[in-house]
Amino acid sequence: MKWLLITLACLQLSECLIRVPLRKGKSTRQYLKEQGLLEEYLRTHPYNPYTKYSGHFNHQSLATESLSNFLDMSYFGDISIGTPPQKFSVIFDTGSANLWVASVYCYSPSCQNHNKFSPSRSSTYQPADQPLSIQYGSGSMTGTLGYDTVTVSGIAVTNQEFGLSETEPGNSFSNPEFDGILGLAFPSIASSGVTPVFDNMMTEGLVQQDLFAFYLTREADASGSEVVFGGIDPSRYTGEINWVPLSQETYWQISVDRITINGQVVACDGGCQAIVDTGTSLLTGPSGEISSIQQGIGATEGYYGTYSVNCNAISSMPNVVFTINGIDYPLTPSEYVLQLEGSCMSGFSGMYLPSSSGGLWILGDVFIGPYYSIFDRGNNRMGFAKSV
């Protein structure tokens, strides 16, 4: 006689094994029904869609952080630092790995009109006596490092090392909507060897799953954007999740097969490398290849490297299709065109970010908006599904 082992959840939240004899002429379903076990089996079977993903979206044990959408150009949410907590708005940035906020030590013009962290107001703050300097694609900061409790959507990370800005040159961080940046990339690119916030969440067992997921609205100033730590929100996407292995564990870097318009390859011929970056507003790539895309969609070059499109022509413009790990991810004109106060701008931009394999593409918010994006540290992979 053969036996089928079926795992059922016990009342004590442990697991028990039930041996079910497989008899010729009697199905497993029929046998379970006769024994009064069918309903429990269907509820707990690992291939039941709800069971398979229930660990991801049990909202009572996940941390969902609402994000504000500023003109489809930046997304930020609230965290707190210290005891008692001092509140800050930060950009949750998968393209960097450090947490820093404006501080009382900063007198740069960009630090004005921001919440500033004050060490003297926190009983749990400890100085690290180490400098911090970060250079971004646009903008930079210098400061000092310290330790304190950092709370993100109810998750309290104790003794988290973070940066207190002392200088913020230029105007990149003058936007009063956010006070700093919380990096979510890998520790290998963290400045000054700091352990990123999410790594400490994983190490301390503060998240249900070692992953986080972004849902970004693409209507300027619309609400509903969010980042979920420790799981995914199935109400934010439709269809299957397609998984893509990381090609490098620094940024969230993946391989792209090609980029096409109307079936013709216009960029990334033969494959290219891209990083998925919530901290970059546009979708960028090497200037020559971006120019081919701009030509393919009928965009016209303007000032400072920007490209404009005719707002009345959006409905007739072509899709731009990114093929990743054999799956097509089309961007429609309404998804790659930014409409701001009556003018329309292409969401593609030329920028050379060097790598060992040539210029890196950046799949910024223009791509993440249409595609629910899951950053899976437990399996070192990205997941994409069509956003709703």
Side-chain angles (χ1 to χ4, degrees):
M1 180 183 294
K2 295 182 180 180
W3 295 83
L4 172 67
L5 293 182
I6 302 174
T7 302
L8 296 177
C10 294
L11 294 178
Q12 293 83 4
L13 298 182
S14 60
E15 288 187 342
C16 55
L17 292 177
I18 295 180
R19 294 183 179 270
V20 179
L22 297 182
R23 302 180 185 274
K24 185 176 181 180
K26 181 176 291 189
S27 70
T28 301
R29 175 182 288 270
Q30 184 178 356
Y31 179 86
L32 289 171
K33 185 175 182 180
E34 290 175 355
Q35 300 300 313
L37 296 172
L38 180 60
E39 182 178 351
E40 176 71 2
Y41 172 67
L42 293 176
R43 186 176 66 82
T44 60
H45 191 275
Y47 295 102
N48 179 312
Y50 177 80
T51 302
K52 183 177 180 181
Y53 293 107
S54 61
H56 292 287
F57 58 84
N58 179 353
H59 288 278
Q60 292 181 341
S61 56
L62 297 184
T64 301
E65 177 68 31
S66 296
L67 303 178
S68 298
N69 175 359
F70 180 71
L71 300 176
D72 283 352
M73 301 298 286
S74 60
Y75 297 80
F76 42 86
D78 292 334
I79 67 170
S80 65
I81 305 176
T83 309
Q86 301 175 41
K87 183 179 175 180
F88 303 93
S89 290
V90 296
I91 291 179
F92 291 91
D93 178 23
T94 60
S96 66
N98 288 81
L99 165 64
W100 65 267
V101 295
S103 79
V104 294
Y105 304 135
C106 183
Y107 293 97
S108 296
S110 292
C111 290
Q112 307 310 310
N113 301 318
H114 286 285
N115 294 322
K116 300 180 182 181
F117 181 77
S118 175
S120 64
R121 290 172 47 207
S122 175
S123 62
T124 47
Y125 175 79
Q126 295 291 330
D129 297 323
Q130 183 181 0
L132 175 67
S133 177
I134 306 176
Q135 179 68 53
Y136 296 95
S138 59
S140 63
M141 65 79 65
T142 64
T144 186
L145 287 166
Y147 296 90
D148 213 330
T149 298
V150 174
T151 302
V152 182
S153 192
I155 300 178
V157 183
T158 57
N159 297 314
Q160 173 65 50
E161 195 168 13
F162 70 103
L164 295 76
S165 76
E166 295 177 344
T167 68
E168 299 177 18
N171 298 318
S172 295
F173 302 128
S174 61
N175 184 338
E177 302 294 337
F178 61 91
D179 309 305
I181 294 176
L182 192 154
L184 292 167
F186 287 78
S188 57
I189 64 169
S191 297
S192 300
V194 171
T195 301
V197 172
F198 192 72
D199 283 76
N200 281 328
M201 286 184 182
M202 293 190 296
T203 300
E204 297 176 23
L206 300 177
V207 287
Q208 194 176 112
Q209 302 281 331
D210 291 342
L211 54 79
F212 52 90
F214 276 84
Y215 173 76
L216 303 182
T217 57
R218 296 303 296 162
E219 295 179 9
D221 299 318
S223 60
S225 298
E226 66 179 26
V227 55
V228 178
F229 293 98
I232 62 176
D233 184 347
S235 69
R236 299 302 192 182
Y237 67 90
T238 185
E240 295 183 356
I241 297 171
N242 298 307
W243 296 102
V244 183
L246 296 183
S247 56
Q248 194 166 316
E249 297 166 21
T250 50
Y251 301 104
W252 288 89
Q253 185 170 325
I254 59 176
S255 298
V256 177
D257 302 337
R258 58 190 170 274
I259 303 170
T260 58
I261 295 177
N262 294 326
Q264 300 297 314
V265 177
V266 293
C268 191
D269 191 5
C272 57
Q273 293 293 298
I275 62 176
V276 187
D277 183 6
T278 58
T280 295
S281 305
L282 306 179
L283 199 159
T284 77
S287 296
E289 296 189 275
I290 287 292
S291 294
S292 297
I293 294 177
Q294 307 287 27
Q295 183 178 356
I297 64 175
T300 304
E301 186 172 6
Y303 296 105
Y304 309 110
T306 62
Y307 281 76
S308 61
V309 299
N310 184 345
C311 295
N312 295 324
I314 291 178
S315 61
S316 61
M317 293 168 62
N319 292 346
V320 179
V321 180
F322 287 72
T323 303
I324 303 172
N325 203 30
I327 302 295
D328 288 344
Y329 297 88
L331 295 181
T332 66
S334 61
E335 292 168 342
Y336 65 70
V337 173
L338 301 179
Q339 303 182 54
L340 303 172
E341 298 179 353
S343 63
C344 293
M345 183 180 76
S346 168
F348 300 103
S349 180
M351 184 177 76
Y352 186 74
L353 185 62
S355 74
S356 58
S357 57
L360 278 176
W361 289 74
I362 302 179
L363 306 183
D365 299 340
V366 165
F367 183 88
I368 300 170
Y371 293 101
Y372 189 77
S373 299
I374 305 163
F375 299 77
D376 186 351
R377 280 291 301 272
N379 295 289
N380 291 326
R381 61 183 181 174
M382 285 293 312
F384 298 113
K386 185 61 179 176
S387 295
V388 296

